[in-house]
Amino acid sequence: MTAVAVLRLPLAVDLSGFVKLLQRMQVPHRVSEEAGEQVLWVPHNISEDVRALYERYPAGDPDQLLEVPVARTVRRPSLAEQVRHARATAAVLVLSLLVGALTLLGDNFATLRWLTFLDFRVVGDYIHFTPLADSLAAGQWWRLVTPMLIHFGVLHLTMNGMWYWELGRRIESRQGSINLLGLTLLFSLASNYTQYLFSGPSLFGGLSGVLYGLLGHCWIFQLLSPSAAYRLPRGVLAMMLIWLLVCLTGVISLIGFGEVANAAHVSGLLVGCLTGLLGGLYNRRKLAA
């Protein structure tokens, strides 16, 4: 939230009493020194209230005569309660766990081949892939999205699962389960197909392309139609974008962490930004109507 300078006072003015009053009232604030003045900053939406409070109590409330309501303790919802309000998010994660168990996290090729973007068969030390057109002609359209459920290793599944739980719940709480599932399938389709175009016939999988789509969606949607649900923790967006750039350099593959589906990440992010743009503009227009 944007902070504004609500007071500019000489350094000789004792502001400590008023600051203690703000602390007791749990008002977000900070004091800085600029050009020989002390400046009090508060969120813009309460600036007028804080200014009026200072006019009445410039020395604060040392005798604590003001009745300040005690903030009500908010109980953190249990995991069961969180799942009940994020059923679509939980369902995708359960499917990912189930697929991870059935495929032995990528080691059970007999099961894995039914979920990969391209069907394949192992002949000796080589993998022979079936053309995508042949699979689609046989009605295997699920291959366009099911690679998002495939994970190669515990760390791969754990990290993707944690981020999907974090981002998926936000979208589900604001836009509903159907929209979350629709966005998940869209981002999976876009990221899988783009990865196939860039890498050719190969084995790839994971929720990371979808995650970057969800990230881009929340990012742009929040810029156009702000909401607490889409307000990501400080640094998350920067960290995810920096990680994307690091992966694009090829460093992660060079140090032995395996190949990274960079095309899936970038395409997921771009499509997510597009859906965030469309959704944010629509929601802003709806609120203004």
Side-chain angles (χ1 to χ4, degrees):
M1 186 173 293
T2 305
V4 297
V6 69
L7 293 175
R8 291 182 179 272
L9 302 170
L11 294 177
V13 175
D14 184 4
L15 197 58
S16 61
F18 186 68
V19 168
K20 288 180 181 178
L21 175 59
L22 294 180
Q23 291 172 344
R24 188 156 63 93
M25 299 178 71
Q26 299 185 10
V27 175
H29 68 279
R30 66 182 176 88
V31 179
S32 64
E33 182 179 333
E34 300 178 12
E37 294 181 317
Q38 51 185 333
V39 184
L40 176 65
W41 300 82
V42 298
H44 70 90
N45 61 322
I46 60 171
S47 60
E48 293 302 322
D49 294 332
V50 173
R51 188 176 289 110
L53 183 66
Y54 180 76
E55 291 175 357
R56 295 187 61 187
Y57 302 96
D61 183 29
D63 298 324
Q64 297 191 5
L65 300 177
L66 284 174
E67 292 186 9
V68 177
V70 178
R72 184 167 55 92
T73 302
V74 179
R75 182 180 65 85
R76 183 180 179 84
S78 66
L79 179 60
E81 291 173 322
Q82 294 181 56
V83 169
R84 190 161 58 247
H85 291 94
R87 292 177 180 174
T89 306
V92 171
L93 293 178
V94 169
L95 280 175
S96 298
L97 290 171
L98 180 61
V99 169
L102 293 175
T103 61
L104 302 179
L105 292 174
D107 289 336
N108 183 356
F109 280 13
T111 304
L112 186 71
R113 62 180 289 261
W114 288 102
L115 300 170
T116 50
F117 195 79
L118 298 178
D119 191 8
F120 66 89
R121 57 191 176 91
V122 179
V123 180
D125 294 331
Y126 298 93
I127 295 179
H128 293 267
F129 290 96
T130 301
L132 177 62
D134 293 351
S135 296
L136 297 182
Q140 298 177 2
W141 291 88
W142 66 82
R143 293 187 181 278
L144 298 176
V145 295
T146 50
M148 72 176 184
L149 302 174
I150 299 171
H151 290 86
F152 303 99
V154 174
L155 183 61
H156 189 205
L157 176 58
T158 301
M159 294 302 295
N160 280 353
M162 288 173 58
W163 279 112
Y164 189 83
W165 178 247
E166 175 67 28
L167 296 171
R169 284 185 304 157
R170 293 173 181 272
I171 293 176
E172 187 169 5
S173 68
R174 181 169 184 183
Q175 295 184 254
S177 302
I178 299 300
N179 281 326
L180 171 64
L181 292 176
L183 289 172
T184 297
L185 294 176
L186 173 63
F187 299 152
S188 181
L189 172 62
S191 59
N192 291 336
Y193 192 71
T194 304
Q195 185 62 39
Y196 164 68
L197 291 178
F198 274 78
S199 65
S202 59
L203 292 179
F204 58 85
L207 276 166
S208 51
V210 173
L211 295 179
Y212 272 101
L214 299 181
L215 178 71
H217 182 83
C218 290
W219 176 23
I220 303 302
F221 201 116
Q222 173 70 4
L223 290 177
L224 297 172
S225 183
S227 166
Y230 285 3
R231 191 178 304 124
L232 298 173
R234 187 174 299 174
V236 165
L237 178 63
M239 183 189 70
M240 293 285 282
L241 294 179
I242 290 172
W243 176 252
L244 176 62
L245 293 176
V246 170
C247 290
L248 287 172
T249 65
V251 171
I252 303 301
S253 301
L254 287 176
I255 62 179
F257 281 94
E259 295 296 322
V260 179
N262 290 316
H265 296 172
V266 173
S267 59
L269 179 63
L270 293 177
V271 176
C273 288
L274 176 60
T275 61
L277 174 66
L278 297 176
L281 288 175
Y282 172 78
N283 196 67
R284 188 164 69 174
R285 172 181 257 180
K286 184 173 66 173
L287 292 175

